[in-house]
Amino acid sequence: MKKFKIHTDKEKLLHEKCREVALPLDEEKRQTILDMVEYLKLSQDDEYAKANKIRPGVGLAAPQIGVPERFYAVYLVDKEKTYEYGLVNPKILSTSVKKAYLEGGEGCLSVPEDVMGHVYRYFRITIQAYDAVSQQNVTLKLVGYPAIVFQHEYDHLDGILYYDRINRDDPFKKDPEAVAI
Ligand code: ZN
């Protein structure tokens, strides 16, 4: 496995908007994205993560590995469905009115200490991108937990971290429109 250096929120790079990726994707970049997916997959293996001193993750965006470009990897299993993607130049086409948040709060490989509070996101999104895993354009309709993960990663491309979305004065402020996941 390629061992990535994960950049943290101490670095300016994590707070800046990333630039579009030139398509068609060059082979080197595609390999990087596949390596990111593999990194996530292995990070979810407890023994492997422990032995290699890496934190488990379900998403990894380019700025987190030091590249200020618009792509990210996702690897997660939710409700028996596997989401394995390397999205390049993603665009969120539509969102639900309904909001959702993770009851236990969000975490991020670039934020060493968890920041507690509700992060409200759209319950449902439709996202379009070039997918480096399947090597084709994809349009994904995501609901619930996967929708939250893809939005968290998308935010990285705009230099937004999850704690930027937590209400400063009242981190657990209730939103009656939102469902807990
Ligand atoms: Zn993150």
Side-chain angles (χ1 to χ4, degrees), residues 2-3 8 26 33 36 38 45 49 51 66 87 91 94 100-101 130 133-134 143 152 155 160 165 167-168 176 179:
K2 186 158 185 244
K3 222 168 168 209
T8 73
D26 66 69
I33 300 172
M36 289 162 78
E38 188 66 15
D45 178 328
L87 298 190
K91 305 261 182 309
S94 64
Y101 65 100
Y130 176 76
V133 174
S134 61
V143 180
H152 174 119
D155 266 356
I160 301 166
R165 296 193 179 278
N167 186 301
R168 245 160 246 203
V179 292

Side-chain angles (χ1 to χ4, degrees), residues 59 61 64 107-111 152-153 156 161-162:
Q64 296 183 275
C108 180
L109 296 176
S110 295
V111 182
H152 174 119
E153 297 312 321
H156 276 301
L161 294 169
Y162 73 91

Side-chain angles (χ1 to χ4, degrees), residues 20 70 72 87-96 121-122 124-129 138-140 142 146-158 165:
E20 295 268 317
R70 302 185 76 82
Y72 65 73
L87 298 190
V88 180
N89 298 336
K91 305 261 182 309
I92 293 178
L93 299 182
S94 64
T95 59
S96 59
R121 299 194 184 275
Y122 299 109
R124 206 179 300 113
I125 61 165
T126 302
I127 195 164
Q128 192 175 60
V138 293
T139 302
L140 308 172
L142 304 162
I148 286 179
V149 173
F150 280 71
Q151 287 172 81
H152 174 119
E153 297 312 321
Y154 185 91
D155 266 356
H156 276 301
L157 309 184
D158 287 331
R165 296 193 179 278

